[in-house]
Amino acid sequence: MKSTRRATPSHDMLLISARKRAQVPRIDYYNLFWIFFLCCFLGVVLETIWVYSTQGILQSRRGLIYGPFNCVYGFGAVLMTLAMYRLSHCRDAVIFLCGSVLGGIYEYLLSWGQEMILGTVSWQYDEMPFNLHGRINLLYTIFWGILALMWVKDIFPRIMHLISRIPSRINHPLVWALSVFMALNMLISMAAVLRMSERHYQIPAENRVERFLDRHYPDEYLKKVFPSMVYVE
């Protein structure tokens, strides 16, 4: 008579499975904020170095009025984390392909959204080969794939290790304080740039807020902060 007892997983298989689960970090608001905040800063540093090394000019590459921060990199890092941090055990080719597609879509939507809302663009690839509407191109899509591979395999685990060393009694209040700062920074930056676009199209200020923006954030100042931003007529 055949035994009906089901085969049970071996001890080694259970141990490997437990280790894999342990290697998947817990993703909560605090971890995601630090990823966002650090990448906002690191993105500006790296892009400033890139522009200086390729064009020989030292130019502001920030995306917010206050501080060396660019939310394009911060939100990109958060998106990359949420979409791909569980792929660390996948083959490199899979991570590269997913990162290329995800990064290309993200960059295209950012460019399109900026043009639709502000009437401006901050990057144009019309003169580069294999571009799509000047918003993305094959070379930078490949860069997105390489960056995704580096992020999943090396950068993300290192950042998570550093974050885990911050004591909770310091981490939590600091995150909330910086969250308020970044939210206000993004709000005033968006309002100032929107008002600059209205001035470009000769729309006069109609209330106190708009007059405040005209007085404290004139075109001359904003053009120094966002030198790569151009209007799309």
Side-chain angles (χ1 to χ4, degrees), residues 62 82 94 107 112 118 124 131 152 156 158 166 214 220 227:
R62 53 183 169 153
L82 292 175
V94 174
E107 188 173 9
W112 177 83
L118 303 175
Q124 295 174 296
N131 73 82
V152 171
F156 174 69
R158 291 177 183 272
I166 305 174
D214 287 349
E220 295 77 14

Side-chain angles (χ1 to χ4, degrees), residues 203-220:
I203 300 175
E206 297 181 350
N207 53 57
R208 289 183 180 180
V209 174
E210 293 179 348
R211 287 191 289 271
F212 173 86
L213 294 171
D214 287 349
R215 184 168 60 254
H216 293 278
Y217 305 102
D219 292 354
E220 295 77 14

Side-chain angles (χ1 to χ4, degrees), residues 140-153:
Y140 288 164
T141 300
I142 293 174
F143 285 169
W144 275 108
I146 296 173
L147 179 60
L149 189 58
M150 294 172 59
W151 179 260
V152 171
K153 294 292 187 178

